[in-house]
């Protein structure tokens, strides 16, 4: 119910209401559910992704259509926080065409992404991969690690471990949380605040 709350429909037909929710759910499981991450202050909270570059759009639960009769459709949803997967270009672009209606804060993010996929020969890629993020400035990584783990000397090992995770190449939100759990890094803020802080300082691709 939480995932389909954006299209809650109340008509005289309970069957139709359920149908609308199911179609919306199927659409979300192909194109993903759009989230805007990076809310760290009043300005970001009141802005959309076009107005503040610190905001990042992330589509969770996206995947290829797992039709049983189509062996080439590799159905996979990673069991991670903020799970993302790859999808066929045609399915993804069709499934995300109404995202901005249900989540206006994404702005023109989908349009920019799909226009960037057009190649010189006019074709587009067959597969759309999940978004990845990078932080190039070691000082930024260090600042995030300090705020997320704490400045105490006893937290130094965890702080340095988190700093390496953030600065050693690209990552997806779910992968980052997996590494944090594997390395037993204990955050002093909740996961939502942490990922908002990280992505507000990241570049996406």
């Amino acid at each position: 119910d939480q995932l389909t709350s954006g299209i809650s429909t109340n008509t005289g037909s309970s069957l139709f209401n359920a149908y609308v929710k199911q179609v919306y759910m199927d659409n979300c499981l192909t194109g993903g559910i759009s989230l805007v991450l990076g809310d760290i202050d009043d300005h970001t909270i009141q802005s959309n992704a076009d107005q503040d570059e610190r905001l990042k759009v992330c589509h969770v639960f996206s995947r290829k259509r797992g039709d049983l009769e189509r062996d080439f459709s590799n159905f996979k949803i990673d069991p991670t926080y903020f799970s993302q997967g790859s999808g066929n270009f045609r399915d993804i672009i069709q499934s995300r065409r109404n995202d901005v209606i249900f989540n206006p804060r994404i702005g023109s993010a989908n349009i920019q992404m799909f226009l960037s996929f057009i190649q010189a020969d006019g074709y587009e890629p067959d597969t759309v991969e999940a978004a990845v993020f990078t932080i190039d400035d070691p000082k930024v990584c260090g600042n995030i690690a300090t705020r997320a783990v704490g400045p105490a000397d006893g937290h130094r090992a965890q702080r340095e471990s988190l700093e390496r995770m953030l600065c050693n190449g690209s990552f997806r939100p779910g992968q980052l949380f997996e590494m944090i759990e594997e390395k037993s890094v204990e955050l002093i803020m909740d996961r939502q605040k942490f990922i908002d802080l990280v992505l507000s300082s990241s570049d996406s691709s």
Side-chain angles (χ1 to χ4, degrees):
D1 286 341
Q2 182 180 354
L3 296 179
T4 58
S5 61
I7 201 169
S8 179
T9 305
N10 186 18
T11 70
S13 171
S14 59
L15 183 63
F16 177 77
N17 298 340
Y19 169 77
V20 171
K21 290 177 67 174
Q22 185 59 49
V23 170
Y24 180 75
M25 175 65 78
D26 180 65
N27 202 63
C28 289
L29 288 178
T30 302
I33 298 174
S34 60
L35 301 178
V36 176
L37 303 173
D39 285 333
I40 58 173
D41 56 32
D42 290 341
H43 188 270
T44 54
I45 292 173
Q46 297 172 9
S47 302
N48 64 39
D50 292 336
Q51 298 167 328
D52 196 320
E53 62 182 10
R54 293 174 295 174
L55 295 174
K56 306 298 187 300
V57 177
C58 182
H59 290 82
V60 296
F61 307 133
S62 57
R63 55 145 174 99
K64 287 188 177 182
R65 293 186 183 275
D67 300 343
L68 296 178
E69 71 274 15
R70 298 177 181 176
D71 292 338
F72 58 82
S73 290
N74 181 23
F75 181 96
K76 183 179 180 181
I77 297 180
D78 291 329
T80 63
Y81 301 108
F82 299 97
S83 176
Q84 297 175 278
S86 61
N88 294 322
F89 181 93
R90 183 193 65 181
D91 293 336
I92 294 287
I93 198 170
Q94 288 176 344
S95 297
R96 295 182 183 176
R97 65 187 182 275
N98 290 325
D99 274 5
V100 73
I101 295 176
F102 296 102
N103 188 357
R105 294 190 67 208
I106 71 172
S108 61
N110 284 345
I111 295 174
Q112 294 182 47
M113 179 181 65
F114 283 106
L115 286 178
S116 73
F117 290 153
I118 298 176
Q119 301 166 169
D121 58 8
Y123 288 90
E124 69 278 334
D126 179 59
T127 302
V128 176
E129 296 293 337
V132 295
F133 302 90
T134 55
I135 302 177
D136 296 325
D137 189 342
K139 291 183 179 179
V140 173
C141 295
N143 180 54
I144 293 173
T146 299
R147 293 178 61 182
V149 177
D153 290 340
H155 297 160
R156 180 177 179 180
Q158 293 188 46
R159 197 163 53 243
E160 291 178 347
S161 179
L162 179 56
E163 187 174 345
R164 287 192 295 271
M165 294 178 204
L166 295 172
C167 276
N168 284 355
S170 60
F171 57 86
R172 295 187 175 107
Q175 292 175 327
L176 182 58
F177 283 118
E178 276 190 325
M179 290 188 290
I180 287 173
E181 292 184 353
E182 288 174 3
K183 299 297 183 180
S184 299
V185 174
E186 296 183 8
L187 303 176
I188 60 174
M189 59 176 62
D190 64 43
R191 293 188 182 96
Q192 184 64 56
K193 289 183 179 179
F194 172 72
I195 202 62
D196 282 332
L197 176 62
V198 171
L199 296 194
S200 68
S201 302
S202 305
D203 294 318
S204 62
S205 60

